Amino acid sequence: MSTQISTASRHDATSADGVIRRRSAETKAAFKTTEFIAYVVMVLGVLIASIVVDGNGNGDNGAGGDYFRADQAWFYVVLLTIGYMASRGLAKAGTRDSSDA
């Protein structure tokens, strides 16, 4: 009653009853995850906010300057990107390798 490893893929295994079962160590593709969707929505929100928000007398002593500048918006996009990359790294780090079974 030994388990044989299929030569088709290192993630395929033939069980004792002869059924080939796929054991995969990978997480979902990045674009299928909820954190990717949240990342895209937040990036679009930051960029749209930087376009829409201006300082025309709305709380900034009447100077009329740009209240949410493009460099600030891109800084926030970079921070969001770092957070997204860290979350994907943690998701990948939490998966088991096929040899852990």
Side-chain angles (χ1 to χ4, degrees):
M1 206 155 92
S2 67
T3 302
Q4 299 173 354
I5 303 298
S6 173
T7 58
S9 171
R10 71 183 192 114
H11 297 294
D12 291 343
T14 305
S15 65
D17 59 356
V19 177
I20 295 177
R21 292 184 175 86
R22 181 168 298 277
R23 293 183 301 167
S24 179
E26 292 296 319
T27 58
K28 282 196 267 183
F31 63 89
K32 293 181 179 179
T33 61
T34 55
E35 67 253 15
F36 179 72
I37 295 167
Y39 168 73
V40 169
V41 168
M42 292 304 293
V43 166
L44 288 174
V46 166
L47 294 177
I48 290 170
S50 72
I51 293 170
V52 172
V53 173
D54 61 2
N56 290 333
N58 295 331
D60 83 306
N61 71 13
D66 194 6
Y67 188 70
F68 188 31
R69 298 184 323 260
D71 62 333
Q72 290 175 322
W74 284 109
F75 176 71
Y76 290 130
V77 169
V78 168
L79 291 179
L80 286 169
T81 304
I82 291 169
Y84 174 72
M85 292 172 66
S87 72
R88 287 303 298 163
L90 290 173
K92 293 283 187 178
T95 61
R96 287 193 220 142
D97 191 18
S98 62
S99 62
D100 290 345

